Amino acid sequence: MMQPHSAPDLAHRLGREAEAVCREYLSSGKRAGNYWLVGDLQNNPGRSLYVRLRDSAKGPAGKWTDSATGEHGDLLDIIRQTLGLADFKDVAEEARRFLSLPHPEPEKTRTPTSRVPGMAVGSPEASRRLFAMSKPLPGTLAALYLGGRAITSLEGITALRYHSRCYYRPDEHSPTEIWPAMVASVTDLDGRQTGAHRTWLARDGSGKASVETPRRAMGDLLGHGVRFGAAGEVLAAGEGIETVLSPRQVLPHMPMLAALSAAHLAAILFPATLRRLYVVRDRDPAGDGARDSLIARAASLGIEAMSLTPVDGDFNDDLRRYGTDALRAALKDQLHPEDVRRFLEV
């Protein structure tokens, strides 16, 4: 006998509501006889993935197969994939919410734990799964959000994607919320994804979502970063994604990296080919500390390190307040002459 609210029990209950589940989580699809047809688990239009809607001789309701990839599973997998959920407890909570089931009694032996807002949780595998389920930036709310930050040149940016229904929960005792999000891939020196960063967005893309911690990372971050271009002899590295993308508006061919925090900026790993490092600093004590630590570490390895300093708090402040022409002029005065010719005057 199945335990109440166990994975088999929830899958069975969802199977009895298979069509309703598909209409909720695979809304780009449509019914065809006893199946729901859709393009893939990312809810793209198409007919490759089919979900059985009623029990039949071929199998129980709720089972699905993607004929293009050979993947198969149940409706719990669909909830997990479409919402980017990493842990079963989160999938189960969403399934109970959909089925209007009560929450299970908390375990008496469990010791409550606290979570630092914004700290990295979740496995590298979960981060890769979330990024794979997201879509390219053009035409999305994430592009609209970046445009509102005066970041409009998005050519070649493959490290950022958009997820229209990204899971958010303030803490382990709060209900799950669904918000649109900009999702960034965190990669190591070999280009292997080790983590992800989410920026939850307002539902109209006008800014960040009105939640307590609209930015969170997951996976393995230390030494790695969000990369814009492959570093060779030159690399510019800073803290935030928007901070780094701002000088990229006038230096589109210079390889850049966003480390996501001052502490992680100080700890980035250097490629063996690196000869000159630009530290894209923020004007605050944490930014100063990260800059000094990173410059000292680079110098100890024979890497020339130079600081790029904004006029205001960070380079996104400068870009929005003064525009690209002023930003270009300010950076020209701070770059090595070789890099002015190589990157700024292209």
Side-chain angles (χ1 to χ4, degrees):
M1 183 175 179
M2 291 184 289
Q3 293 294 320
H5 299 188
S6 64
D9 177 59
L10 288 171
H12 178 70
R13 289 171 182 262
L14 290 168
R16 293 189 304 207
E17 308 288 342
E19 184 170 348
V21 174
C22 291
R23 291 188 183 279
E24 173 74 13
Y25 300 100
L26 297 174
S27 57
S28 295
K30 60 182 180 180
R31 180 169 183 164
N34 190 34
Y35 293 94
W36 187 266
L37 305 181
V38 71
D40 51 34
L41 286 173
Q42 287 71 55
N43 195 27
N44 291 309
R47 301 174 61 87
S48 295
L49 188 147
Y50 52 94
V51 185
R52 191 177 298 110
L53 299 180
R54 295 188 302 273
D55 293 342
S56 72
K58 296 183 178 180
K63 294 294 184 179
W64 59 271
T65 300
D66 189 332
S67 59
T69 66
E71 294 178 292
H72 57 87
D74 58 24
L75 294 173
L76 288 171
D77 294 316
I78 286 177
I79 291 175
R80 175 174 58 82
Q81 292 278 12
T82 55
L83 298 186
L85 304 179
D87 299 325
F88 173 73
K89 65 178 182 179
D90 300 325
V91 179
E93 180 181 333
E94 173 64 14
R96 288 193 297 269
R97 183 202 65 78
F98 179 84
L99 293 165
S100 299
L101 295 175
H103 290 274
E105 289 296 320
E107 298 177 23
K108 297 184 184 302
T109 58
R110 183 175 180 180
T111 301
T113 58
S114 60
R115 180 178 297 170
V116 178
M119 73 175 289
V121 296
S123 67
E125 180 184 354
S127 69
R128 288 190 284 269
R129 198 160 52 235
L130 174 63
F131 193 71
M133 289 188 294
S134 304
K135 61 187 292 187
L137 281 181
T140 68
L141 286 182
L144 184 64
Y145 161 75
L146 291 173
R149 304 291 295 263
I151 299 168
T152 56
S153 178
L154 304 178
E155 183 179 357
I157 295 180
T158 58
L160 299 181
R161 289 187 180 181
Y162 171 71
H163 197 302
S164 62
R165 293 172 56 83
C166 191
Y167 153 81
Y168 175 84
R169 193 164 61 166
D171 55 62
E172 61 184 315
H173 305 295
S174 301
T176 301
E177 302 174 20
I178 304 298
W179 290 86
M182 181 173 71
V183 181
S185 171
V186 177
T187 54
D188 62 16
L189 290 174
D190 296 323
R192 184 176 64 93
Q193 186 177 351
T194 63
H197 182 271
R198 295 148 293 175
T199 303
W200 281 276
L201 306 174
R203 303 195 192 282
D204 60 359
S206 60
K208 293 188 285 291
S210 56
V211 296
E212 184 178 357
T213 53
R215 301 178 189 271
R216 285 183 184 170
M218 61 190 295
D220 182 7
L221 307 183
L222 190 63
H224 313 315
V226 181
R227 300 176 192 274
F228 306 104
E233 295 183 348
V234 178
L235 174 67
E239 294 181 37
I241 292 170
E242 295 89 343
T243 298
V244 169
L245 286 180
S246 296
R248 191 182 182 278
Q249 298 301 288
V250 297
L251 297 166
H253 302 291
M254 178 180 284
M256 298 191 179
L257 175 149
L260 303 176
S261 74
H264 285 103
L265 176 60
I268 62 170
L269 299 176
F270 303 133
T273 55
L274 190 64
R275 298 294 176 265
R276 185 154 48 245
L277 173 70
Y278 290 102
V279 182
V280 182
R281 62 170 291 214
D282 288 356
R283 279 186 176 273
D284 57 38
D288 291 342
R291 174 202 59 190
D292 295 344
S293 175
L294 191 56
I295 287 177
R297 190 159 60 86
S300 71
L301 297 173
I303 298 170
E304 181 182 13
M306 304 173 67
S307 178
L308 298 180
T309 303
V311 175
D312 291 339
D314 60 45
F315 276 104
N316 192 244
D317 291 337
D318 287 6
L319 176 62
R320 287 186 290 168
R321 179 167 296 181
Y322 306 114
T324 55
D325 290 341
L327 181 59
R328 182 180 290 107
L331 288 171
K332 184 175 182 179
D333 292 337
Q334 300 184 58
L335 294 173
H336 190 285
E338 289 182 3
D339 295 329
V340 171
R341 294 190 294 270
R342 182 177 178 183
F343 298 110
L344 195 60
E345 297 180 350
V346 172

